[in-house]
Amino acid sequence: MSHALPSPLPLFDRILLRILGKAVPAAEREEWFHTWQAELWHIHHRTRNPRSQALGITVDLSIGLMRDALWLRTDSWRRALSGTAILCLSSLFALCLLSALASLALNGGWHALSLNLGGPFKRFLIETPLVAFVTFATASRRHVKPSATGKTMYWIKRQLFFAAKATLVLVLSFLLSTDVCQPLHASLPVTADLVQVLISVCISLVGLRWAFHDQGQRCNQCLRVLSTPARVGRPSHNLLEWNGNELVCRQGHGMLSIPEMETSWCRSSEWITQNPGWDRVANI
């Protein structure tokens, strides 16, 4: 006894699956396609709803199919960019751009903007070296052992990333301070200049301290933010055994061991490079 094969999906559903399937990440595309194919087939061949209700359900499922495909794509971008140096610099650049647009709107045009920013920018060039010197001198930093820092190319990449991050932080502090004090220039120009310098210095100090802290929490190779902090050792045995935190790179490049207290035998953090043959740490 032969069984009749079920009829295929309607042409619209097949075209929709084919088009939206390109938006799904390649690693999840086959499973996504089969899941939604079975769901649509069930709607068309196993439901006993009237034609009008079946049409409404099909429309709802089509919308859900589209949203599911887009969510999988955006989630793959989130996993790929989460904690990366590109995301950090892009976010700082976007904030600088928004601050610049706000300055343009407050001044009413490019010509007025250039005139009003001339004096504050000269003061900014004078105060920036002083702020950088104070931050470098007072920032609490844990040095990583030179023997564990890796290749010279990785070191150069880390320094370039820190320089770009610090530059964007300083530019952002300047733009934010001018935006805040712009309404005061018409009535109290001298007071506005003093407040602008004070705000710029404060934001610069906080921003550069954050840049130092963020730099110490990143992988030495891929510059991603380290994750899964784990407490190792006992605080009561600081003088007898190692005690501190360990952070792991999600890409499996290594692990950063940070001592809780600086002692005569453990004064710096240590970067431990992971063997290339190990599997990557699971994404969280």
Side-chain angles (χ1 to χ4, degrees):
M1 181 178 179
S2 61
H3 298 278
L5 294 176
S7 59
L9 293 176
L11 179 62
F12 173 77
D13 293 343
R14 284 179 286 164
I15 294 176
L16 191 63
L17 283 173
R18 191 178 301 113
I19 294 175
L20 294 180
K22 297 179 180 179
V24 179
E28 305 172 1
R29 188 172 301 162
E30 184 177 358
E31 180 182 358
W32 176 89
F33 182 84
H34 290 309
T35 300
W36 278 103
Q37 188 180 41
E39 190 72 25
L40 293 173
W41 184 91
H42 176 78
I43 290 297
H44 288 292
H45 300 283
R46 287 290 182 257
T47 58
R48 299 178 180 178
N49 298 322
R51 183 181 297 270
S52 59
Q53 283 190 340
L55 180 61
I57 295 175
T58 302
V59 172
D60 292 339
L61 281 176
S62 300
I63 296 175
L65 185 149
M66 184 183 306
R67 295 176 61 183
D68 187 45
L70 295 178
W71 185 88
L72 288 174
R73 173 57 63 181
T74 54
D75 186 64
S76 67
W77 288 342
R78 181 192 62 80
R79 293 196 305 267
L81 295 176
S82 177
T84 60
I86 295 177
L87 180 62
C88 177
L89 296 179
S90 300
S91 301
L92 289 174
F93 181 78
L95 291 175
C96 291
L97 183 60
L98 290 176
S99 299
L101 293 176
S103 297
L104 180 62
L106 290 172
N107 287 275
W110 291 106
H111 182 67
L113 178 63
S114 61
L115 291 177
N116 293 331
L117 292 185
F121 185 73
K122 292 178 181 179
R123 292 192 297 270
F124 170 73
L125 294 179
I126 297 174
E127 69 189 36
T128 295
L130 300 176
V131 171
F133 174 78
V134 171
T135 306
F136 274 81
T138 60
S140 177
R141 294 167 291 167
R142 289 191 181 273
H143 301 279
V144 180
K145 292 182 179 179
S147 59
T149 55
K151 299 181 180 179
T152 305
M153 187 60 62
Y154 294 141
W155 182 87
I156 295 175
K157 184 169 68 171
R158 289 197 303 273
Q159 303 311 312
L160 291 176
F161 169 63
F162 178 78
K165 180 169 53 176
T167 301
L168 288 173
V169 165
L170 292 172
V171 172
L172 179 61
S173 66
F174 168 72
L175 293 174
L176 288 176
S177 63
T178 55
D179 291 344
V180 172
C181 298
Q182 178 59 32
L184 298 177
H185 269 284
S187 57
L188 301 171
V190 177
T191 304
D193 291 338
L194 293 176
V195 174
Q196 187 269 327
V197 172
L198 179 61
I199 294 177
S200 178
V201 169
C202 292
I203 298 178
S204 298
L205 288 173
V206 174
L208 289 179
R209 284 180 176 272
W210 166 81
F212 274 115
H213 180 267
D214 178 75
Q215 192 76 5
Q217 303 294 315
R218 291 182 176 271
C219 174
N220 283 358
Q221 297 184 23
C222 65
L223 296 179
R224 286 178 177 265
V225 175
L226 299 175
S227 60
T228 62
R231 180 81 182 187
V232 179
R234 290 173 288 182
S236 60
H237 289 185
N238 274 320
L239 301 178
L240 301 177
E241 58 186 31
W242 195 89
N243 171 45
N245 296 317
E246 291 183 349
L247 302 172
V248 180
C249 174
R250 292 184 179 182
Q251 303 302 309
H253 294 141
M255 177 178 64
L256 180 65
S257 297
I258 306 175
E260 180 69 19
M261 296 175 59
E262 292 187 359
T263 59
S264 59
W265 56 274
C266 186
R267 294 184 177 179
S268 60
S269 303
E270 182 178 4
W271 175 260
I272 303 174
T273 303
Q274 185 171 313
N275 294 331
W278 290 7
D279 294 330
R280 289 184 174 185
V281 177
N283 290 331
I284 297 178

